[in-house]
């Protein structure tokens, strides 16, 4: 039976904590001029959001879109996790295509690092696993912060499957980006790629070291030996 959006929103209001909302607002950089300027929070913890998402996988696409477009951060996250759960349960190819296309048409609302990181590998990454990935290169060259982050973080799905075909090429495009959240995302994906093939990671590092931010480098070398980490940092 399909879930209704109003009871979900009422539950959210009950779970919300003003004190916790103030705490996460600082964590997600909502001050004037920051990347999440003017974002609104209800103060709901992630385990509660995931639990409600699991209970409402049958929510209609129409209502799921309403959540994704919500002015509240947690409702957007809820809608996106419901979409991930729908994709995971979908058996028909046309349904997967529909969910993927819905996701990429709503980048405007996927506007913080948690919304990106928790969801894009499980929809974009999973969908593109055995498809043409040229769209990721277009996104990596975007002027939009979160589109660029989606381009690189979607690789997490490929990396987990042992597929490193694109992570180094996309990282190279984004290495000189100005934003700290891209530095961290690229470093993170390089680190994960290094867990699968440390030789490829080190080859990339040696070739691209002059172009890398300190943040990207620190993330990328985190799982290397202490001696190697110190050597790269000195370089």
């Amino acid at each position: 039976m399909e879930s209704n959006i109003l009871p979900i929103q009422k539950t959210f209001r009950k779970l919300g904590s003003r004190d916790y909302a103030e705490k996460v607002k600082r964590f997600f950089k909502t001050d004037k001029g920051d990347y999440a300027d003017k974002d609104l929070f209800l103060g709901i913890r992630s385990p509660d959001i995931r639990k409600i998402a699991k209970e409402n996988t049958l929510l209609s696409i129409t209502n799921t879109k309403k959540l994704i477009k919500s002015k509240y951060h947690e409702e957007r996250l809820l809608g996106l996790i419901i979409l991930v759960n729908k994709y995971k349960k979908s058996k028909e190819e046309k349904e997967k295509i529909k969910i993927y296309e819905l996701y990429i048409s709503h980048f405007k609302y996927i506007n913080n690092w948690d919304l990106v990181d928790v969801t894009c590998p499980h929809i974009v990454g999973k969908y593109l696993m055995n498809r043409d990935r040229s769209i990721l290169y277009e996104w990596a060259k975007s002027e939009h912060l979160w589109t660029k982050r989606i381009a690189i973080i979607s690789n997490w799905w490929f990396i987990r499957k042992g597929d490193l075909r694109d992570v180094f090429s996309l990282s190279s495009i984004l290495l000189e980006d100005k934003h700290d959240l891209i530095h961290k995302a690229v470093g993170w994906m390089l680190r994960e790629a290094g867990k699968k093939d440390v030789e490829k990671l080190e080859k990339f590092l040696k070739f691209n070291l002059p172009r890398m931010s300190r943040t990207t480098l620190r993330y990328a070398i985190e799982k290397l030996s202490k001696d190697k980490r110190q050597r790269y940092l000195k370089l």
Side-chain angles (χ1 to χ4, degrees):
M1 184 176 177
E2 181 190 318
S3 302
N4 186 295
I5 194 172
L6 292 177
I8 297 172
Q9 291 174 319
K10 286 181 180 178
T11 299
F12 255 42
R13 300 304 183 274
K14 290 178 181 178
L15 287 171
S17 162
R18 187 172 296 177
D19 289 342
Y20 188 64
E22 288 301 315
K23 180 180 178 180
V24 294
K25 276 170 63 179
R26 292 191 294 272
F27 185 65
F28 284 108
K29 307 292 185 184
T30 61
D31 289 339
K32 188 175 181 179
D34 280 336
Y35 59 78
D37 185 6
K38 298 178 182 177
D39 201 357
L40 300 176
F41 288 80
L42 292 165
I44 304 167
R45 298 179 185 275
S46 292
D48 291 326
I49 296 172
R50 288 186 177 277
K51 180 176 181 292
I52 293 170
K54 188 175 181 180
E55 294 169 350
N56 290 278
T57 302
L58 294 179
L59 188 71
S60 71
I61 288 294
T62 298
N63 281 330
T64 302
K65 286 195 287 187
K66 287 179 182 178
L67 289 173
I68 293 171
K69 293 179 179 180
S70 172
K71 64 182 180 179
Y72 293 111
H73 184 100
E74 294 94 338
E75 286 192 352
R76 297 199 301 281
L77 180 57
L78 174 65
L80 291 165
I81 294 176
I82 288 174
L83 209 59
V84 167
N85 293 343
K86 284 180 179 294
Y87 192 98
K88 185 177 181 180
K89 289 179 176 293
S90 62
K91 293 181 171 56
E92 294 184 15
E93 191 66 14
K94 63 180 182 180
E95 188 177 355
K96 292 178 181 178
I97 293 171
K98 183 179 179 180
I99 292 171
Y100 167 78
E101 290 180 345
L102 189 158
Y103 186 90
I104 68 172
S105 68
H106 284 71
F107 278 4
K108 176 182 177 181
Y109 306 98
I110 308 172
N111 56 357
N112 213 310
W113 59 263
D114 62 323
L115 306 182
V116 171
D117 299 357
V118 168
T119 63
C120 76
H122 305 285
I123 295 180
V124 175
K126 198 171 183 178
Y127 179 81
L128 295 178
M129 183 68 202
N130 298 308
R131 292 179 171 86
D132 174 64
R133 300 176 190 169
S134 57
I135 189 69
L136 295 179
Y137 292 84
E138 293 179 31
W139 294 343
K141 295 171 184 176
S142 168
E143 295 297 317
H144 185 241
L145 170 62
W146 306 114
T147 299
K148 289 185 286 188
R149 189 165 173 111
I150 289 169
I152 190 65
I153 299 296
S154 293
N155 282 265
W156 197 10
W157 184 270
F158 313 144
I159 294 167
R160 288 167 62 189
K161 301 297 180 181
D163 183 344
L164 309 182
R165 280 181 292 154
D166 296 284
V167 63
F168 295 110
S169 298
L170 288 163
S171 293
S172 182
I173 292 171
L174 291 166
L175 271 187
E176 296 176 78
D177 193 89
K178 303 299 182 186
H179 206 291
D180 184 59
L181 285 176
I182 299 299
H183 299 169
K184 291 176 180 178
V186 171
W188 173 22
M189 290 301 104
L190 289 173
R191 181 189 71 204
E192 296 305 309
K195 291 179 185 178
K196 297 292 184 180
D197 194 326
V198 70
E199 289 184 7
K200 284 186 177 179
L201 170 62
E202 292 205 65
K203 183 179 178 180
F204 180 88
L205 292 176
K206 288 170 185 174
F207 187 77
N208 291 285
L209 205 56
R211 300 172 55 220
M212 298 177 73
S213 72
R214 193 79 167 174
T215 299
T216 299
L217 178 61
R218 284 188 177 279
Y219 272 64
I221 65 176
E222 191 175 15
K223 296 300 179 180
L224 300 182
S225 68
K226 184 178 179 180
D227 288 344
K228 283 186 177 180
R229 291 199 308 271
Q230 290 179 339
R231 187 166 75 248
Y232 279 117
L233 288 170
K234 286 178 182 177
L235 289 172

